[in-house]
Amino acid sequence: MTKWGMVIDLNKCTGCGACVNACRIENNIPNVGPEAAHNGRSMDWMQIVTEYDGEYPDIRITHIPLLCFQCDNAPCTKVCPVHATYQNSDGLVGQVYYRCIGCRFCMAACPYSAKKFNYAEPDVPEEYENHLNPDVTRRMKGVVEKCSFCHHRLAHAKDLARYEDRDLRESDFQPACVESCPADAMVFGDLENPDHTVHDLKDSSRVFRLEEELGTEPKVYYLKKEDK
Amino acid sequence: MDDLRHDPDYTLFRPILEKDRRFLWMVSVLVGLIGWSIYMYMRQWKYGLSVTGLNNNVTWGFYIINFVFFIGVSHAGTLISAILRLSQAEWRRPITRMAEVITAIVLMIGGIHPIIDLGRPDRLMNVFYYGRLQSPLLWDVTAITTYFTASTVYLYVPMIPDIALLRDRTTKFRWLYKFLSWGYRGTERQKHILERAMSILMVLVIPVAVSVHTVISYIFSMTLQSGWHSTIFGPYFVTGAIYSGTATLLVVMIAFRKMYHLENYLKEIHFRYMSILLLVFSLLWTYFTFSEFLTGVYGNEPMEMMVIRFKLTGAYAPYFWSMVTLNFLIPLIVLTNKKLKTIKGILITSIGVIIGMWLERLIIIVPSLTNTRLPLVVQTYIPSLTEWSLFIGGISIFCLMFLIFSKVFPLISIWEIKDGRAEGLEEAKGRLESYLPDQTLAEGRVQ
């Protein structure tokens, strides 16, 4: 059984936002416009939270990229009334846009606020139409969506591996955010495969997970920022 | 009908028999308000939930607040009437019917709210195609439909003798009464079956009513959100529900007493007894609120404290402290003071309690969503015109349906009043005698 997971090194993260933009382009995330974004309806699957520690001029800044943690014990899948959000055979938390009734119970249940709701019909300008990612479903008004760990890429990687008659390699499947990180702060792979970098990284002494005490078993690990 | 005019209970027939100008006037205003809210809902259907004030963190707002609030109000009826009937409280006779009508109407309005709240109401049937019984939302669907069925039957069955009475003695809506009375003629056997059915129903309806609001609280307490994940929520919600329901019942009683001149039926004593019930639930509610907040504050868990601080001293402090005033201080002062405990005083208190209980639902739902576990920037929730319109629409449907009901069926159970006169008096006397120690035995012991 594979267990896809991510390790984010907060020492390396510069908060540049490349991952956020890569995610936006990869996953056809609609631009909601300034007014809706101001009202807290931005659809970004990733966001970077910046924490400030200390007093001027001795400020320590930590950037924390947030995405769906694909919890092993996900609170959102428990409460869905229609099987629209569920844990799939790859261990990822899936979202069925064509079944979701938009009750937003999963959003209320998610302790990480990882889910986004399409308050209006996504507005895609005509000139963007030809540049959308054909592998990613376009969402409609009234459904919940969230980061999928670029699940469509996994499907491709699996096909390729099967075609070449070999096992999946670490380099076969990397989400868009990890691929785009210029600081190499994000590492992705199979947490249970000793050949993958994440396997050893997740046992580092600096490792922590957000709100771990809730028992949600998130699959995104962070490496604590250390003073140099 | 000539003989009806000489009936001692003619007042109870009057709203049905006589035309009323005020009625048409009120109906047209209410229909206008409902029409407006339907228009606003059609807009929401077209543009999605973007017409509300919700955002990606505060995903539940007015619709869910009103859902919990309306379902809460609906507990007045059936539960109070069942408890009063079971305990054979003789003063229940003019009250039970109104209480049951509140339940049936408000439950329907409350039940619509989660559907209004859906992002994709067109996919509502997915709940049945792909329903997951592990989801608390499915528990809600089950509990509310059960409760709705039970409470409409419980409203209807005790109404059958009255419908038969109307069928025999009036000319209006003959066909309707003929159909609804199911050939009831008031024979000994029929009456026996009716009373048997009523006693089964009232026992059945109590656990159903309690379960409904418990399950509604589970929507919140089953999540891990701070401020929601609490074991007290089940009984806390049930208590709050009965509390707001009792207040609504009092308001309805006072309004119709004035409108249809029912002073002879709804006497001061009824209000006095009902207000004792209101006071008891006020104190019970305060006790639960106190326990909930004390455990939170004493434990001092950071996430829990963030929500509590937001309620007690933060942005929601005005709502919180007006809730405490309306639900605890005012009832305590008014209902324990003989001078203030007039019908006017009770009316003001009850309206205050209804507002206070609505605020309680607001205070439970929004702050937990605003204070996310992760340090995110969260926009404050400001309800939009659509949400306000649908709220007013819901209240208007309640008033309209109640008015229409009062024009077709008697608001006070006529046969139970007549029964009370004919048999209740003797029965109560006999019952009281049976409570007392036996005279001859007591004398024998002295000697």
Side-chain angles (χ1 to χ4, degrees), chain A residues 9 23-24 37 45-46 51 62 64 70 75 82 84 92-93 102 109 111 116 121 131 135 138 140 183 207:
Chain A
D9 192 341
C23 173
R24 221 182 258 173
W45 287 0
M46 276 201 85
E51 282 206 321
T62 314
I64 310 174
Q70 317 285 344
V82 294
L92 306 180
V93 177
K116 307 285 154 170
E121 196 70 62
H131 304 281
D135 291 336
R138 283 172 66 181
M140 61 295 282
V207 86

Side-chain angles (χ1 to χ4, degrees), chain B residues 176-317:
Chain B
L176 181 73
Y177 297 141
K178 208 169 172 183
F179 174 72
L180 286 177
S181 58
W182 287 83
Y184 185 86
R185 289 185 314 279
T187 61
E188 207 54 38
R189 208 179 97 80
Q190 281 180 332
K191 206 164 175 198
H192 178 72
I193 294 174
L194 183 90
E195 269 162 11
R196 185 102 191 94
M198 272 166 62
S199 50
I200 292 173
L201 274 170
M202 63 185 140
V203 174
L204 202 80
V205 105
I206 292 174
V208 176
V210 170
S211 76
V212 170
H213 226 76
T214 309
V215 166
I216 284 175
S217 81
Y218 284 172
I219 291 191
F220 306 105
S221 59
M222 290 297 144
T223 68
L224 296 171
Q225 244 44 288
S226 30
W228 284 2
H229 193 56
S230 157
T231 52
I232 211 173
F233 262 38
Y236 187 30
F237 270 50
V238 173
T239 308
I242 304 172
Y243 186 30
S244 64
T246 313
T248 313
L249 179 57
L250 273 165
V251 172
V252 167
M253 277 164 65
I254 293 170
F256 280 110
R257 178 182 130 113
K258 181 112 196 330
M259 191 170 157
Y260 293 141
H261 308 291
L262 301 173
E263 285 85 355
N264 203 13
Y265 293 89
L266 298 169
K267 294 183 176 171
E268 288 226 27
I269 186 90
H270 294 110
F271 293 99
R272 213 176 314 143
Y273 282 167
M274 281 295 290
S275 66
I276 292 172
L277 201 63
L278 194 69
L279 183 63
V280 167
F281 275 98
S282 166
L283 297 176
L284 205 56
W285 176 88
T286 312
Y287 161 66
F288 273 118
T289 312
F290 178 74
S291 315
E292 168 78 354
F293 280 91
L294 183 70
T295 41
V297 170
Y298 200 93
N300 203 18
E301 201 256 319
M303 288 299 159
E304 200 74 31
M305 269 323 278
M306 186 168 70
V307 178
I308 291 176
R309 243 184 243 121
F310 186 80
K311 292 177 186 175
L312 297 187
T313 54
Y316 268 53

Side-chain angles (χ1 to χ4, degrees), chain A:
Chain A
M1 215 350 230
T2 47
K3 193 169 164 184
W4 300 106
M6 193 184 282
V7 179
I8 301 173
D9 192 341
L10 300 182
N11 254 350
K12 290 183 184 168
C13 178
T14 59
C16 67
C19 50
V20 176
N21 281 301
C23 173
R24 221 182 258 173
I25 295 160
E26 176 75 16
N27 291 301
N28 299 336
I29 292 172
N31 198 342
V32 291
E35 197 191 333
H38 178 75
N39 290 334
R41 288 177 182 173
S42 128
M43 298 301 297
D44 287 334
W45 287 0
M46 276 201 85
Q47 67 188 105
I48 297 176
V49 169
T50 310
E51 282 206 321
Y52 300 91
D53 217 11
E55 290 212 357
Y56 181 82
D58 291 319
I59 301 177
R60 220 176 65 151
I61 297 176
T62 314
H63 301 288
I64 310 174
L66 295 173
L67 62 164
C68 172
F69 296 158
Q70 317 285 344
C71 308
D72 268 344
N73 182 17
C76 61
T77 59
K78 278 190 206 162
V79 298
C80 179
V82 294
H83 272 292
T85 184
Y86 67 106
Q87 192 142 28
N88 66 21
S89 52
D90 292 313
L92 306 180
V93 177
Q95 187 86 30
V96 186
Y97 309 125
Y98 284 92
R99 188 184 287 174
C100 176
I101 57 171
C103 67
R104 311 190 294 296
F105 201 168
C106 55
M107 300 179 75
C110 176
Y112 306 110
S113 318
K115 300 211 158 191
K116 307 285 154 170
F117 180 73
N118 285 279
Y119 279 95
E121 196 70 62
D123 174 34
V124 181
E126 213 176 310
E127 50 269 35
Y128 286 14
E129 287 282 352
N130 294 330
H131 304 281
L132 292 175
N133 186 350
D135 291 336
V136 177
T137 318
R138 283 172 66 181
R139 279 79 63 185
M140 61 295 282
K141 142 190 114 184
V143 302
V144 176
E145 59 183 67
K146 64 162 193 71
C147 159
S148 64
F149 264 6
C150 288
H151 183 242
H152 53 282
R153 291 190 173 200
L154 177 60
H156 268 298
K158 274 185 179 167
D159 279 352
L160 189 72
R162 203 179 300 126
Y163 179 71
E164 291 175 359
D165 201 18
R166 59 171 172 81
D167 283 339
L168 263 182
R169 280 193 297 258
E170 189 178 358
S171 56
D172 285 341
F173 171 37
Q174 292 290 310
C177 50
V178 178
E179 227 172 44
S180 71
C181 182
D184 273 338
M186 303 167 102
V187 184
F188 185 82
D190 183 356
L191 295 167
E192 286 181 351
N193 189 338
D195 297 338
H196 290 201
T197 333
V198 283
H199 181 265
D200 295 337
L201 270 180
K202 78 163 200 296
D203 295 330
S204 146
S205 59
R206 287 199 289 141
V207 86
F208 74 97
R209 290 185 288 182
L210 286 173
E211 305 293 330
E212 205 173 357
E213 69 279 6
L214 293 177
T216 51
E217 297 293 323
K219 288 203 276 279
V220 174
Y221 294 75
Y222 291 92
L223 299 180
K224 211 165 71 187
K225 182 151 187 165
E226 280 179 342
D227 290 315
K228 279 183 194 155

